[in-house]
């Protein structure tokens, strides 16, 4: 790899990192190309050498951010609880530590409402990542006819409980959302049969 190619890759990675930070903090629409490039320590003029449009940048950011967070969560769960990684994913995702992180890592609570309003190309990017989440989570569950269904339900439960808990963080209700979701999620994941 030449020095010029290496520098271009570093710049590309810096742009994606800046976009990921802004995505989590502000969302898509409130994040300008100028702000992304400023966060990357680059000038706006260099943007189009990396991306065709703001939409191209943020579809790649959604995919990359979601995939990185999910894969890290799966990897850590498999290391910590190889006998029950699906349950460990649920517990980690619905932890107070995850909810209260100063800088949230999971983009879902930050972007789903905006993606539902703005549609494509963001909807397609999010759907592709969610399909991967569902598939990889289902693979952690015991084989059976309802693996995908349980994975869908558990992911919806995790996302919904975390989103509501963040919205009312610092209240008793915020903690109750997490506790109830962990309890019901564990029942769902450990229940055998239909």
């Amino acid at each position: 790899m030449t020095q010029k190619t290496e520098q271009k890759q570093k710049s590309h990675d810096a742009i994606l990192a800046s976009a990921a930070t802004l995505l989590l903090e502000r969302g898509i629409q409130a994040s300008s190309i100028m702000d992304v490039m400023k966060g990357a320590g680059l000038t706006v003029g260099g943007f189009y050498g990396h991306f065709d449009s703001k939409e191209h940048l943020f579809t790649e950011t959604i995919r990359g951010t979601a995939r990185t967070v999910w894969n890290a969560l799966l990897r850590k769960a498999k290391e910590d609880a190889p006998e029950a990684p699906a349950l460990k994913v649920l517990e980690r995702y619905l932890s107070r530590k995850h909810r209260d992180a100063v800088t949230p890592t999971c983009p879902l609570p930050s972007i789903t409402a905006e993606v539902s309003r703005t549609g494509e190309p963001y909807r397609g990017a999010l759907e592709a990542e969610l399909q991967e989440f569902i598939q990889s989570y289902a693979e952690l569950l015991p084989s059976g006819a309802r693996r995908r269904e349980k994975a869908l339900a558990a992911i919806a439960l995790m996302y919904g409980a975390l989103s509501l808990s963040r919205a009312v963080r610092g209240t008793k209700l915020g903690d109750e959302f997490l506790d109830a979701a962990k309890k019901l999620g564990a029942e769902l994941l450990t229940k055998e049969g239909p």
Side-chain angles (χ1 to χ4, degrees), residues 138-153:
E139 289 171 3
L140 300 178
L141 300 172
S143 60
R146 299 186 66 202
R147 278 173 88 177
R148 180 174 170 81
E149 184 179 316
K150 285 184 176 186
L152 283 161

Side-chain angles (χ1 to χ4, degrees), residues 177-190:
F177 279 125
L178 294 180
D179 294 340
K182 277 191 272 192
K183 182 179 178 184
L184 291 174
E187 289 175 17
L188 167 75
L189 296 176
T190 57

Side-chain angles (χ1 to χ4, degrees), residues 105-167:
T105 55
C106 181
L108 293 182
S110 302
I111 65 168
T112 51
E114 187 172 7
V115 167
S116 72
R117 285 191 305 274
T118 57
E120 294 301 337
Y122 311 117
R123 181 176 290 134
L126 182 58
E127 179 190 12
E129 289 311 306
L130 288 171
Q131 290 287 2
E132 289 294 322
F133 290 4
I134 294 159
Q135 177 65 36
S136 61
Y137 197 66
E139 289 171 3
L140 300 178
L141 300 172
S143 60
R146 299 186 66 202
R147 278 173 88 177
R148 180 174 170 81
E149 184 179 316
K150 285 184 176 186
L152 283 161
I155 289 170
L157 181 68
M158 287 187 281
Y159 159 73
L162 181 67
S163 297
L164 291 170
S165 183
R166 279 186 178 163

